[in-house]
Structure formats: structure tokens, C-alpha cells
Amino acid sequence: MANRGACYGIAAAVQCKLANKRDQELEQDILAWMSEILGERLPQGEFGEILRDGVVLCKLMNRLKPGAIPKINASGAPFKMMENIENFIKSAERYGVPKIDLFQTVDLWEKRNIPSVVQCIMAVGRCGYLHPDFHGPFLGPRPSEDYRREFNEQMLGTSF
């Protein structure tokens, strides 16, 4: 947490609960998938710290959908890094990630809610199945498809 002091009371309880929701193995699987998509080794370190500047996230979206993010800020200025994260979020939504799976920029920037970042990247990985021009590797299970059933009046009138 960037500019925040120690948490006490209910804030500490919330932070503890969020920390317990983290799955280190899943985070490592996501980093391995991203590395494979990008074709390069990612820096070593903590999940949130690797993704914090947004550069890796922007590169990922450009690999999944070329030209999705035309300008990636490499500058160390905090507002430029946060702009990278915001560009990733907007691009993920255009790629097909449902709004409910998106995270807020501050969740990653201040590392306050890393599980929501993980959820968003998993949703991006699942969206790959929906794009016929993307041939993998995929992340997560294939999204379910709509299965409509039609019932006639006789079937609807039958009681079991």
C-alpha cells in the first residue's frame, strides 16, 4: 500500500481477509501464461509488483489483439503507469471481459485488491476462446455456451 499507514480495527480485518483470498499458485500460473503469450521472461518478484507499472498488461493485450493499446508508457512517472493500467482495463472490456470481472486501477497500483486483478486476467484468458483468430495458449476453462430449450404447451402442462 503506497501511502497508507498501518491498518487497525475493521480496516485491518478487511486487509487480512483479502490477503487470505490470494492464491499464490494461481498467480504463478497466470505469470507463466503471460510469459508464454509474450514470448519473453517476466521479471522475478511479487505478482502485484511485476504488473504494477501496467507495461506487461498492455503488452499482453497487444499480443491478444494487435493494436489494442497504441501507446505504452515506459516512463517511471506514477500517473503514466496508472494510465497503462487504465488502458489495459478499457482494452480488456473491449476484448469481451464482462464489467463484473474488471478491477479498479487503484486495486493494482496500491496493491489493495490483488484477487480482483487475478480475476480480471483470468477473464481475459477465458475470452481467448471466444476469438477464433486466437489459437492459444488459453487460460482457464472454456466459457459455457448458451443452451436454449423449447417447451411446447403439452410439456409445460405436465406435472411430475
Side-chain angles (χ1 to χ4, degrees):
M1 297 203 260
N3 296 323
R4 299 185 185 271
C7 293
Y8 300 99
I10 193 94
V14 169
Q15 286 302 318
C16 183
K17 192 169 188 173
L18 282 173
N20 289 336
K21 287 175 78 174
R22 290 187 65 176
D23 183 346
Q24 303 292 334
E25 188 175 322
L26 180 59
E27 290 175 5
Q28 292 306 311
D29 290 346
I30 288 171
L31 291 174
W33 174 75
M34 293 172 83
S35 178
E36 192 171 347
I37 293 286
L38 295 174
E40 62 185 59
R41 289 184 67 118
L42 298 179
Q44 295 295 315
E46 194 264 328
F47 183 80
E49 200 56 43
I50 293 170
L51 302 178
R52 187 168 186 248
D53 65 0
V55 172
V56 172
L57 295 173
C58 290
K59 285 182 180 179
L60 174 70
M61 284 311 300
N62 279 340
R63 286 293 236 165
L64 296 174
K65 185 173 181 171
I69 302 172
K71 183 179 181 210
I72 300 173
N73 299 306
S75 162
F79 68 92
K80 291 291 190 183
M81 291 184 215
M82 289 176 15
E83 186 177 300
N84 284 343
I85 297 169
E86 187 63 32
N87 287 339
F88 167 77
I89 294 168
K90 288 177 183 173
S91 181
E93 187 174 9
R94 286 191 302 268
Y95 192 62
V97 174
K99 282 187 185 257
I100 196 160
D101 287 328
L102 299 174
F103 63 94
Q104 300 294 314
T105 303
V106 73
D107 292 339
L108 178 56
W109 178 250
E110 292 186 2
K111 296 188 272 183
R112 288 181 15 190
N113 193 355
I114 296 298
S116 67
V117 176
V118 168
Q119 178 179 338
C120 181
I121 296 171
M122 289 294 293
V124 168
R126 284 191 307 272
C127 281
Y129 288 107
L130 305 175
H131 294 270
D133 54 325
F134 181 70
H135 302 291
F138 299 98
L139 180 66
R142 178 182 292 276
S144 63
E145 297 176 9
D146 193 25
Y147 181 67
R148 289 248 181 241
R149 292 173 281 212
E150 300 294 327
F151 298 101
N152 60 29
E153 290 299 319
Q154 180 184 8
M155 294 172 83
L156 291 172
T158 308
S159 62
F160 293 95

